[in-house]
Amino acid sequence: TQLLEQSPQFLSIQEGENLTVYCNSSSVFSSLQWYRQEPGEGPVLLVTVVTGGEVKKLKRLTFQFGDARKDSSLHITAAQPGDTGLYLCAGAPQGGSEKLVFGKGTKLTVNP
Amino acid sequence: DVKVTQSSRYLVKRTGEKVFLECVQDMDHENMFWYRQDPGLGLRLIYFSYDVKMKEKGDIPEGYSVSREKKERFSLILESASTNQTSMYLCASSLSGVNYGYGYTFGSGTRLTVV
C-alpha cells in the first residue's frame, strides 16, 4: 500500500512568516498534486508537478517535486490570513491507476 | 465554470434509514469518486467509477453501495445508516490520466449526521 506522509500535521503562524509543508513517501509517483481545502468546502487543486526536480510557482506559493519523485514540498512566502486552510498532497501511483493516494493533510492557520 | 454539484450540504438522518447522496458533474469526466473525510483520518475512498455502470470498491466500502446509470451522475447509498457513518462526504470527478497530471474536481461536500 502506497502512503504519503505529510508534516507538520498542524501549523499556526503569524501573518508575514514563511513556512514549508512536506509530503514524503517510500514509493515513486507519476505525478504529485497539491490541494487546498477551506472549512466546509471541498479541496481545490492548486498545482500538479509531473517531472522529478520540477519547481512551480503560484504567486507566493512554491511547489517542488523531488528528483526521485517520492516527495514534494510546498513553501509559502509571507503568509496571509487568506492562506489558512487544509493543504493536501496527492500522488498518482505508477501503473496507471486513476486513484490518487492522499496525505492526511496539514492544517495551516495564519493569524493576523 | 466547470463544477461538481452535491445535492445537499447538510443532512440529518435516523439510524436504519436508507440514505441517498447525489453527485452531478458537468465536465464529461470518465471517473467519479466518493470519499469520506474524518478528523485525523484524512480522505478515505469509498467507491470509484471509471465508466457508466462500472464501479470499483475503495478502501472502506462496507455499508455503502453506488450507482452510475449516467456518465454525469454518481450516487452513494447508505443501505442502513448507522451513527459511525456520520461524516463529511465528498464527491470528485476527473478525466482519465492522473499520471499525466489531470487533477480531481471536488464538490462542496455533504455533512451527514446520523442520529
Side-chain angles (χ1 to χ4, degrees):
Chain A
T1 303
Q2 294 178 296
L3 292 172
L4 275 169
E5 301 284 346
Q6 281 189 246
S7 62
Q9 189 177 356
F10 298 96
L11 194 53
S12 181
I13 62 172
Q14 294 301 121
E15 184 175 357
E17 291 183 9
N18 302 331
L19 67 115
T20 303
V21 175
Y22 299 94
C23 179
N24 296 298
S25 178
S26 59
S27 303
V28 176
F29 291 95
S30 300
S31 71
L32 205 296
Q33 305 177 2
W34 285 92
Y35 293 79
R36 180 169 66 207
Q37 184 179 19
E38 297 184 12
E41 297 295 331
V44 175
L45 179 66
L46 294 174
V47 78
T48 300
V49 284
V50 296
T51 306
E54 183 176 1
V55 177
K56 279 192 175 178
K57 293 194 175 184
L58 191 65
K59 297 183 180 178
R60 295 176 293 100
L61 278 61
T62 302
F63 305 85
Q64 185 163 7
F65 200 11
D67 292 339
R69 306 210 313 274
K70 293 182 179 181
D71 56 87
S72 181
S73 63
L74 158 60
H75 182 79
I76 301 179
T77 304
Q80 298 178 359
D83 296 326
T84 293
L86 180 69
Y87 289 82
L88 296 162
C89 66
Q94 289 192 311
S97 171
E98 297 296 331
K99 293 182 285 187
L100 292 173
V101 174
F102 281 89
K104 290 186 178 180
T106 294
K107 189 168 183 181
L108 171 66
T109 303
V110 182
N111 303 295
Chain B
D1 196 17
V2 293
K3 61 170 59 174
V4 173
T5 303
Q6 293 184 230
S7 53
S8 305
R9 290 299 298 268
Y10 300 94
L11 214 49
V12 179
K13 295 292 181 181
R14 296 197 179 275
T15 301
E17 277 192 77
K18 191 169 186 176
V19 181
F20 294 85
L21 301 183
E22 306 287 342
C23 176
V24 177
Q25 52 99 359
D26 64 359
M27 296 163 284
D28 202 34
H29 285 174
E30 299 91 356
N31 305 312
M32 296 189 76
F33 308 84
W34 275 106
Y35 289 88
R36 63 177 284 177
Q37 186 176 34
D38 301 287
L41 298 178
L43 285 168
R44 292 183 291 168
L45 181 64
I46 305 171
Y47 266 98
F48 160 52
S49 170
Y50 49 93
D51 201 349
V52 175
K53 298 188 188 292
M54 307 303 287
K55 62 187 179 186
E56 190 175 303
K57 290 180 180 179
D59 301 318
I60 52 164
E62 298 78 19
Y64 303 95
S65 62
V66 290
S67 173
R68 194 169 179 198
E69 296 295 319
K70 294 185 177 182
K71 191 175 185 180
E72 67 271 18
R73 187 179 296 271
F74 192 34
S75 303
L76 179 69
I77 304 147
L78 285 66
E79 298 292 343
S80 177
S82 64
T83 54
N84 63 12
Q85 291 179 310
T86 291
S87 186
M88 171 72 122
Y89 288 86
L90 288 162
C91 176
S93 70
S94 76
L95 287 169
S96 290
V98 291
N99 53 324
Y100 298 118
Y102 289 121
Y104 289 3
T105 302
F106 284 87
S108 296
T110 295
R111 186 161 293 283
L112 173 67
T113 302
V114 182
V115 297

